[in-house]
Amino acid sequence: MYGPRVSSRRAIPGGAPAPRLVVVENTRLAAGPLSELWSRAEQALSNGCAPTSMTVHTEPAGNAERIAEVVARERPDVVVAAGGDGTVRDAIQGIRDAGEPSPPLAIVPLGTANNVARSLGLESVRRGGRSALDRAVTAALAGADRRIDLGRVNGRWFVGSFALGMDADILRLRNRLVNAMRWASLLGGYPPYLASCAANLFRAHGGAMSLCCDGDEEHLVTYDLVVTNVPLYAGEFRFGPSGAFPDDGRLDLQRFANATDYVRRFTGAWMQQLRHDRGPSLAPAGSRTFTRLTVETTSPVAAQIDGEEIAPERSWVVSAAPGAVTVRLPRASSG
């Protein structure tokens, strides 16, 4: 349902007119561990936005059509996605479906992994607390706009990642565990994922695949296939070099042949994330970039997009969409 219209107004720094916002809020925020911080963010956004701004309350996924309806009707200055990568993807899909003119997207990173927000220079609120929250809210109200690329797979937009095989099976079992044992969600985001990873590691995943990557055809047995638009993946793994930004018009492909290859290269990506703040780094071995990828499988394969399950299919077409959306980010420090 749509939330109440915001009635308060306050001038923002620099004397600029207060922006009209559509805030896309994951409904879990109100009762979750970050509820107090989210209340602080709501108040700050309310104080800084125009009185005709409004909130759209959403479920964890599948809200793009409703968001598009609100954006097309309200034509806000900024859409704010308050949640994790799934909320960000729904907001972007809604922005794209609403047609032109497209408002920029701002992010208040209140999810578990926040791959997209962290790759764009924001900090997870779970880790950074009030300072991370205040920085994200300030960016939403008076940040700098920048175009970024998106990915598209079988008609769906994605901003962070798309995966077939092992990683999609991990997500599917993780969701089953959380739904069957509600207490598992109280452990936080990562323990259920780790349990699912351990249970899935030596099972069969993926299978024989025909890949055509920018015209280069291969027929390979694939355990896991990951396409990324941003360098950070699954929270703690970095498959792109430090300083990488999703504006080169290309996507990155990682293909894992088997469980041993998967463990070895994910360990390397985890080590790269640990040291990425210490200086420049290179993209990990085995990665390649592309603008268009087709994947054909002998039987339907499980998939995930930005951390959300999508139905298994046998044929996938993945393409890069250069500069497809505008994001509103913190302004560079003048100091």
Side-chain angles (χ1 to χ4, degrees):
M1 62 181 177
Y2 306 143
R5 293 182 178 274
V6 178
S7 58
S8 57
R9 181 172 183 173
R10 182 178 298 172
I12 60 176
R20 295 181 63 246
L21 307 180
V22 164
V23 180
V24 179
E25 175 192 343
N26 188 324
T27 53
R28 291 182 178 178
L29 295 176
L34 299 178
S35 58
E36 183 177 345
L37 284 171
W38 172 236
S39 295
R40 176 184 173 92
E42 282 186 303
Q43 186 60 53
L45 289 169
S46 173
N47 288 342
C49 71
T52 53
S53 299
M54 67 180 301
T55 298
V56 180
H57 299 286
T58 67
E59 296 301 322
N63 309 280
E65 183 176 351
R66 190 149 55 89
I67 295 167
E69 175 191 337
V70 175
V71 172
R73 185 181 69 239
E74 299 295 327
R75 292 299 174 192
D77 298 309
V78 185
V79 174
V80 181
D85 291 319
T87 304
V88 170
R89 180 178 59 81
D90 278 349
I92 284 178
Q93 181 81 49
I95 289 171
R96 293 290 308 183
D97 291 349
E100 299 294 338
S102 296
L105 175 78
I107 305 171
V108 181
L110 291 155
T112 299
N114 300 298
N115 298 311
V116 174
R118 291 164 62 200
S119 294
L120 296 178
L122 292 163
E123 185 181 2
S124 169
V125 173
R126 290 177 185 270
R127 297 183 181 182
R130 285 192 174 187
S131 64
L133 184 83
D134 292 346
R135 187 165 183 260
V137 169
T138 299
L141 295 173
D145 291 347
R146 186 168 178 179
R147 303 289 294 184
I148 65 168
D149 306 333
L150 295 177
R152 194 163 174 85
V153 56
N154 289 10
R156 301 176 178 89
W157 295 101
F158 67 91
V159 61
S161 64
F162 162 73
L164 293 173
M166 168 63 164
D167 280 7
D169 290 337
I170 289 174
L171 176 66
R172 183 164 56 177
L173 179 58
R174 177 265 178 197
N175 290 344
R176 304 302 181 271
L177 290 172
V178 171
N179 290 334
M181 299 175 289
R182 293 294 182 179
W183 55 266
S185 62
L186 301 177
L187 299 175
Y190 288 110
Y193 274 110
L194 293 175
S196 179
C197 181
N200 273 289
L201 189 57
F202 295 106
R203 295 178 179 177
H205 303 282
M209 298 185 186
S210 297
L211 278 64
C212 183
C213 188
D214 285 342
D216 182 12
E217 294 188 18
E218 297 180 286
H219 303 278
L220 303 162
V221 174
T222 299
Y223 177 84
D224 189 47
L225 184 147
V226 177
V227 174
T228 55
N229 182 47
V230 298
L232 197 58
Y233 179 71
E236 301 306 324
F237 302 97
R238 184 164 290 268
F239 283 111
S242 296
F245 195 83
D247 62 355
D248 63 354
R250 303 181 69 82
L251 301 172
D252 296 281
L253 171 64
Q254 312 288 333
R255 190 192 71 84
F256 306 86
N258 50 47
T260 301
D261 186 35
Y262 182 89
V263 171
R264 176 180 61 83
R265 290 173 55 199
F266 263 84
T267 300
W270 176 64
M271 294 297 295
Q272 177 152 289
Q273 169 61 8
L274 290 179
R275 60 175 176 259
H276 87 278
D277 286 333
R278 302 175 190 172
S281 64
L282 301 175
S287 66
R288 62 188 297 183
T289 65
F290 69 90
T291 58
R292 180 180 172 86
L293 170 73
T294 60
V295 181
E296 301 286 342
T297 63
T298 56
S299 59
V301 177
Q304 67 91 2
I305 183 171
D306 285 335
E308 303 293 338
E309 292 182 64
I310 54 177
E313 295 187 32
R314 293 180 56 184
S315 181
W316 306 89
V317 179
V318 189
S319 58
V325 73
T326 300
V327 290
R328 180 154 293 183
L329 302 175
R331 294 185 181 276
S333 173
S334 60

